[in-house]
Amino acid sequence: MRRIKEVLRLKVGLGLSDTAVSRSVRIARSTVKEYLDRAAAAGLNWETAAELSEEDLDHRLFAAADTRHPGRPLPDWEAVEKELRGRGATLRLLWLEYLNLHPEGYRYTPSSARISTSGSDAPGRRRCAGRIAPARRSKSIGPA
């Protein structure tokens, strides 16, 4: 768990150095600097941060991953998973259909990674994605 409030309290409230704060909170000095820079960029001081909950503070300082590419439409993951349960549907085919609708959309690798790591164990799912295929053994043809 992040210790943002404690870092702000020690640095701003008590005036400790970055090194002293990092030792006290037991995090890297670079992390202390990052928290302070993010708080300054968000316009937060110690008094404001003390009133916020940890979740609200975390949300203000750390942007969600989906905000990096706001112009890219995400695939409808529920529809993709439903289609994959049926016969004849492949992830590549569904990705091509998605790309026809949204040419600026995500490429194949991030799409397949999202599906492969999903927690569902529905029939027809790619449950073995990411596993190493078993080694194939062959008989030696040389003299015995």
Side-chain angles (χ1 to χ4, degrees):
M1 178 169 206
R2 295 184 177 135
R3 299 178 178 133
I4 302 166
K5 280 187 178 183
E6 186 65 12
V7 168
L8 290 173
R9 184 184 73 80
L10 292 172
K11 179 66 179 178
V12 180
L14 299 178
L16 297 178
S17 68
D18 290 355
T19 305
V21 171
S22 70
R23 285 182 187 154
S24 176
V25 184
R26 294 184 181 170
I27 59 175
R29 192 168 40 95
S30 60
T31 305
V32 170
K33 177 80 169 123
E34 179 188 357
Y35 288 172
L36 295 172
D37 289 345
R38 286 179 181 263
L44 291 175
N45 56 17
W46 163 236
E47 292 79 23
T48 309
E51 296 171 0
L52 296 174
S53 69
E54 289 289 336
E55 186 176 299
D56 290 338
L57 185 59
D58 191 52
H59 182 48
R60 278 185 154 185
L61 297 183
F62 297 92
D66 291 342
T67 61
R68 287 185 276 186
H69 304 288
R72 284 185 168 176
L74 288 172
D76 182 7
W77 296 117
E78 291 178 13
V80 169
E81 289 183 10
K82 184 179 178 183
E83 288 289 328
L84 282 175
R85 289 185 191 125
R87 296 197 102 146
T90 63
L91 186 58
R92 181 150 177 87
L93 178 63
L94 294 174
W95 172 74
L96 288 172
E97 291 175 359
Y98 157 75
L99 211 53
N100 282 334
L101 293 173
H102 308 287
E104 71 283 355
Y106 287 95
R107 300 294 111 185
Y108 184 75
T109 303
S111 300
S112 62
R114 163 64 171 84
I115 293 296
S116 299
T117 58
S118 179
S120 174
D121 279 338
R125 289 297 309 254
R126 297 177 46 178
R127 282 178 249 147
C128 62
R131 292 186 187 165
I132 299 172
R136 295 183 180 208
R137 298 181 186 267
S138 62
K139 290 184 177 180
S140 170
I141 301 180

